Amino acid sequence: MSLPGKIKMRNPIVEIDGDEMARVMWKIVKEKLLMPYLELNTEYYDLHVTKRDATDDRITREAAEAIVRHGVGVKCATITPNEDRVKEYGLKKPWTSPNATIRAILDGTVFRKPILASNIRPSVTAWKKPITIGRHAYGDVYSNAEMRITVPGKAEIIFTPEGGGPVVRQKIKDFTEPGIIQATYNIDGSIQSFAKACFAFALEEKTDLWFSAKDTISKTYDGRFRDIFQEEYENNWKEQFTQAGLSYFFTLIDDAAARIMKSEGGILWALKNYDGDVMSDMIASANGSLAMMTSVLVSPWGHFEYEAAHGTVQKHYYKYLKGEETSTNPMAIIFTWSGALKKRGTLDATPELVSFAATLEKAAISTVESGTMTGDLMAVAVEDPRNRKVSTETFINAIAERLLQKLHR
Ligand code: NAP
Ligand code: MG
């Protein structure tokens, strides 16, 4: 039976639950901000680290496949287990990162965009508009082969063609002392999907697109990325970009890093996997807090997975377990939900869902702008006598109050 007054969802969102403090906030956000207004239609996957362990990580792959089926997913932060976590939770083994598993199945590009509030000033004073990072979430150092060398010898790269044909070898180094080697790869198809996703996202968000790599040094590897972006632009996007008054340009990564500091923002900066990993954390922290960063994984087939950029906030969770008050910031988690709801509403032609999600975002931002905020933001907020640090739950309650006012106005 449908409840009167609640917004209905035509199709489900794949809901992927996670660990520790992020999981605690996930539950409160749903109870206080979503369930009172929505008939939440989700297909639920519990990726709590013990559930992944019990299913030999099958649940993670099932969750990713569900996103392929339904098109939209929302994910809480999850523990990537290391040896400490194996002991802490009594796991069978240190399972691979759920994000890596999901990204590999969706072959996606990760877009990270800061949440801006007028009283949270970026450390870089030139920045007026958001800088979004588009990170290629495939290959490179994340699926490398690496080796420790302890005795003298010759290191080579060897490529053996499957159907016979000449074997290609290239010397890396004649080792005369101990050292290390690393080999990384990428594939044209994935780079092309990455380029397409970036052009499409820039057009949708109406921002200029920069792509940067180190093609002067890495002439073949990074050069291939540069060429694929250029071809993709010339063949499929140039006209649309020109019409929209947008620009695309390629530049060296060090040049881009220097320019970004002096730009006013409003850019989508596309980066290879590792560069994007590093730069997105830099941009997040320069915007105030890791908790003010949203993240969406877009597959080349148009599947969307929304997640927070931060982790499970382990240290805060241990305080929470001891019964101490925490002041953990749920903004990114709220924006993962609003992002997923907007996308679901757009795909299903349910404008009331899109409009609810937009109101939720406004309620969250205006709460911060009124001076009610979590501890991480206190240090970076513009000085104002109204500023007060509140607990996680008090902050969510304050947003709930504003949301109710805005919805009934
Ligand atoms: P983290 O959870 O991002 O937290 C690092 C620090 O950043 C926190 O101790 C806190 O600083 C601050 N912080 C992050 N999010 C915050 C929030 N919402 N509100 C307030 N402060 C926040 O990273 P971590 O401690 O390195 O990793 C913990 C676990 O998360 C690990 O098991 C890791 O595998 C996992 N992880 C998951 C994801 C994901 O699923 N997307 C991403 C990264 C890490 P203070 O302590 O100074 O307050
Ligand atoms: Mg990172």
Side-chain angles (χ1 to χ4, degrees):
M1 202 186 74
S2 70
L3 299 164
K6 285 199 189 184
I7 299 169
K8 292 190 195 66
M9 290 170 58
R10 284 211 181 119
N11 289 297
I13 287 176
V14 178
E15 176 186 352
I16 305 176
D17 211 343
D19 293 297
E20 301 192 315
M21 202 59 207
R23 186 184 179 98
V24 173
M25 294 193 286
W26 191 263
K27 184 163 180 276
I28 309 176
V29 164
K30 276 177 66 183
E31 279 172 8
K32 299 267 165 94
L33 303 178
L34 305 179
M35 268 131 78
Y37 308 104
L38 305 178
E39 261 181 48
L40 253 192
N41 177 2
T42 70
E43 193 169 301
Y44 181 82
Y45 291 83
D46 191 351
L47 261 57
H48 190 277
V49 69
T50 57
K51 295 281 166 50
R52 282 179 269 148
D53 195 57
T55 60
D56 291 341
D57 212 22
R58 199 189 58 238
I59 184 102
T60 307
R61 293 188 298 278
E62 285 175 356
E65 284 152 11
I67 296 176
V68 174
R69 258 197 323 282
H70 297 298
V72 184
V74 59
K75 180 181 171 291
C76 182
T78 44
I79 290 171
T80 297
N82 53 18
E83 287 307 330
D84 289 342
R85 299 300 206 156
V86 168
K87 274 191 222 116
E88 182 180 359
Y89 287 94
L91 309 176
K92 293 176 205 156
K93 64 177 224 188
W95 302 102
T96 47
S97 148
N99 293 327
T101 304
I102 295 170
R103 281 174 204 155
I105 291 174
L106 296 179
D107 182 16
T109 300
V110 176
F111 294 99
R112 288 197 163 173
K113 184 177 173 183
I115 303 164
L116 301 187
S118 59
N119 56 339
I120 307 298
R121 293 234 182 98
S123 328
V124 180
T125 48
W127 295 351
K128 305 277 182 273
K129 295 182 238 164
I131 295 167
T132 304
I133 300 284
R135 170 183 171 191
H136 186 207
Y138 181 86
D140 296 356
V141 67
Y142 301 86
S143 36
N144 69 357
E146 50 181 32
M147 221 181 263
R148 169 88 172 108
I149 304 297
T150 53
V151 295
K154 180 161 77 172
E156 290 177 294
I157 312 182
I158 301 172
F159 176 73
T160 314
E162 211 175 54
V167 169
V168 188
R169 339 168 67 100
Q170 193 180 324
K171 191 176 84 180
I172 302 173
K173 187 172 173 63
D174 285 316
F175 278 92
T176 55
E177 55 185 309
I180 42 185
I181 323 177
Q182 178 182 76
T184 66
Y185 70 89
N186 225 296
I187 51 178
D188 285 6
S190 178
I191 301 169
Q192 198 172 19
S193 302
F194 169 46
K196 275 186 198 301
C198 291
F199 285 112
F201 199 82
L203 203 60
E204 191 177 304
E205 300 263 317
K206 297 185 182 55
T207 63
D208 292 336
L209 175 63
W210 296 8
F211 174 57
S212 63
K214 193 72 182 179
D215 64 324
T216 46
I217 301 299
S218 168
K219 293 190 167 60
T220 305
Y221 199 106
D222 283 20
R224 188 75 195 128
F225 275 82
R226 178 203 59 216
D227 291 349
I228 289 177
F229 263 77
Q230 194 59 37
E231 274 165 37
E232 184 58 32
Y233 178 61
E234 302 283 345
N235 295 341
N236 300 320
W237 305 91
K238 199 171 180 175
E239 246 182 69
Q240 297 178 73
F241 264 56
T242 313
Q243 269 171 23
L246 302 175
S247 65
Y248 163 67
F249 94 111
F250 171 82
T251 185
L252 276 176
I253 183 158
D254 31 8
D255 178 49
R259 280 173 190 246
I260 209 92
M261 290 300 168
K262 299 198 166 154
S263 86
E264 61 162 30
I267 296 159
L268 169 58
W269 187 11
L271 291 158
K272 290 170 55 201
N273 209 348
Y274 176 81
D275 301 339
D277 184 349
V278 177
M279 290 303 179
S280 57
D281 281 357
M282 188 196 75
I283 302 271
S285 126
N287 276 292
S289 161
L290 262 184
M292 295 297 273
M293 192 69 146
T294 61
S295 186
V296 56
L297 175 71
V298 183
S299 88
W301 313 283
H303 310 115
F304 297 81
E305 185 218 33
Y306 294 81
E307 57 171 353
H310 61 75
T312 62
V313 214
Q314 183 181 8
K315 282 190 219 140
H316 295 209
Y317 182 61
Y318 293 154
K319 277 176 73 183
Y320 167 86
L321 286 182
K322 279 192 261 169
E324 290 171 31
E325 189 175 279
T326 62
S327 183
T328 320
N329 190 340
M331 288 293 279
I333 287 178
I334 293 169
F335 275 69
T336 64
W337 275 103
S338 61
L341 292 168
K342 275 187 190 170
K343 183 54 75 179
R344 186 76 276 168
T346 308
L347 294 175
D348 296 354
T350 34
E352 62 278 21
L353 200 56
V354 179
S355 134
F356 168 79
T359 309
L360 172 59
E361 290 181 356
K362 283 195 197 107
I365 290 174
S366 67
T367 302
V368 173
E369 289 178 341
S370 76
T372 299
M373 58 185 81
T374 45
D376 56 324
L377 294 181
M378 286 296 282
V380 288
V382 175
E383 250 184 73
D384 186 326
R386 294 178 307 163
N387 288 357
R388 63 186 186 115
K389 172 182 166 178
V390 296
S391 71
T392 313
E393 191 140 16
T394 306
F395 181 66
I396 297 174
N397 284 336
I399 296 174
E401 253 173 57
R402 276 175 185 266
L403 177 62
L404 187 66
Q405 280 166 15
K406 284 183 193 289
L407 289 170
H408 286 270
R409 205 176 278 156

